[in-house]
Amino acid sequence: MAKLMEKGIEVMFSPHPCPTWTLDWNVLPAAVSPKEGKMSSDRALRKQQQLNNLVYVVTNQAKPGDRIVDFCSGGGHVGIVLAHMLPSCQVTLIENKELSLIRAKKRSDELGLSNIWFIQANMEYFTGMFNIGVALHACGVATDMVIEHCIKTRASFVTCPCCYGFIQNTSKFNFPKSEQFKKTLSYKEHMILCRFADQTAVQLPPQRRLIGKQRMCLVDLDRARAAEECGYSVQVISMEPESCSPKNNMIVGVPI
């Protein structure tokens, strides 16, 4: 942390564009809501709050005719809401688990959505063109893979990272990612930062969680700086309310 501060790198969140905005879940069709899935009411409420954040950002960026890809889509919580809210856009869900896509397809059929597609595959096999990529809680380097897909296509991205402790060098990615962080931290030091970024569980003492939150921001700032080096305007935003998830950062990038 001292090395980062010496280089002027500090915890810095962009202001939330609309912290109190929410979908009117009470009037939306039942199949749109994550409460239709197999989760507790408390978890479903937190999932709704997470979706409020992502849907607000995406719907304010999307234009009629845009192609939106929900990477690591799981049961389709993000993609189904977006397809319902943006009928003039095409939404593609990419997920490697068949049962998750079957659940998403069932909910989509109940809603009669005609602007949604499903692809069962690992995301690296997807080569289609799109305008906006979104990922809610893509684990470890999966978030970096999503951002890379978007940069290659010059698409905007809205990602909520997860599992920082799983971040490590791969055949495709080296950490730190940005030139600013590379000049400051070694790979080992960055990995220590990532491990502490995972210390945000609600069971931990508040001070410990605050330290974890600060480290999360720094890891995501490295991701943001790397995207900026590729010609993007990037913000790291804390989702509201912060209690919606221990992993409550959003990285929002728009090509310049």
Side-chain angles (χ1 to χ4, degrees):
M1 293 297 295
K3 292 177 72 173
L4 290 170
M5 292 181 66
E6 287 173 5
K7 297 293 185 179
I9 304 172
E10 299 184 12
V11 174
M12 180 177 61
F13 287 100
S14 297
H16 196 291
C18 194
T20 61
W21 184 87
T22 177
L23 288 159
D24 192 346
W25 294 100
N26 292 325
V27 303
L28 288 172
V32 173
S33 174
K35 290 183 177 180
E36 287 296 289
K38 296 180 179 179
M39 61 176 70
S40 67
S41 58
D42 287 345
R43 186 183 173 201
L45 173 61
R46 292 195 298 273
K47 186 64 68 177
Q48 286 180 342
Q49 292 169 338
Q50 296 162 25
L51 292 172
N52 287 337
N53 288 268
L54 271 72
V55 170
Y56 178 85
V57 175
V58 174
T59 54
N60 276 274
Q61 288 188 13
K63 305 179 297 297
D66 274 356
R67 295 180 176 93
I68 302 170
V69 177
D70 179 11
F71 291 96
C72 307
S73 65
H77 296 307
V78 178
I80 287 173
V81 175
L82 291 175
H84 179 77
M85 298 297 296
L86 297 167
S88 64
C89 294
Q90 301 175 35
V91 180
T92 300
L93 277 61
I94 298 178
E95 169 62 44
N96 61 9
K97 296 182 179 66
E98 182 181 11
L99 290 178
S100 295
L101 284 182
I102 289 173
R103 289 197 299 269
K105 181 68 165 57
K106 181 180 178 182
R107 291 171 61 194
S108 170
D109 290 344
E110 290 178 21
L111 293 164
L113 297 174
S114 60
N115 62 331
I116 190 167
W117 285 263
F118 306 87
I119 298 176
Q120 184 187 352
N122 292 330
M123 75 173 83
E124 58 262 35
Y125 296 112
F126 177 72
T127 58
M129 299 298 294
F130 60 100
N131 306 98
I132 303 174
V134 59
L136 174 58
H137 289 154
C139 291
V141 296
T143 287
D144 302 284
M145 293 173 68
V146 171
I147 293 174
E148 180 190 51
H149 262 299
C150 295
I151 290 174
K152 284 183 176 179
T153 313
R154 302 306 293 172
S156 298
F157 57 82
V158 183
T159 64
C160 176
C162 192
C163 303
Y164 292 77
F166 289 167
I167 294 173
Q168 60 182 341
N169 279 354
T170 69
S171 60
K172 293 186 176 181
F173 300 107
N174 290 310
F175 296 89
K177 297 184 67 179
S178 68
E179 291 302 318
Q180 185 182 35
F181 274 69
K182 285 177 184 177
K183 294 175 181 177
T184 308
L185 297 182
S186 67
Y187 171 64
K188 183 178 180 180
E189 289 168 334
H190 191 76
M191 290 303 96
I192 293 171
L193 195 67
C194 293
R195 299 304 183 268
F196 274 95
D198 252 353
Q199 303 298 307
T200 56
V202 295
Q203 297 88 348
L204 294 172
Q207 185 60 31
R208 182 84 169 273
R209 284 188 279 119
L210 176 61
I211 292 171
K213 175 70 171 177
Q214 293 171 339
R215 276 42 171 190
M216 273 174 47
C217 177
L218 291 169
V219 174
D220 290 336
L221 278 176
D222 176 49
R223 288 164 156 161
R225 298 290 182 264
E228 288 171 352
E229 291 166 6
C230 296
Y232 273 68
S233 172
V234 189
Q235 295 179 307
V236 179
I237 302 168
S238 185
M239 293 197 293
E240 294 289 347
E242 285 196 17
S243 59
C244 70
S245 172
K247 299 295 180 284
N248 49 28
N249 283 0
M250 283 194 303
I251 311 174
V252 180
V254 179
I256 299 173

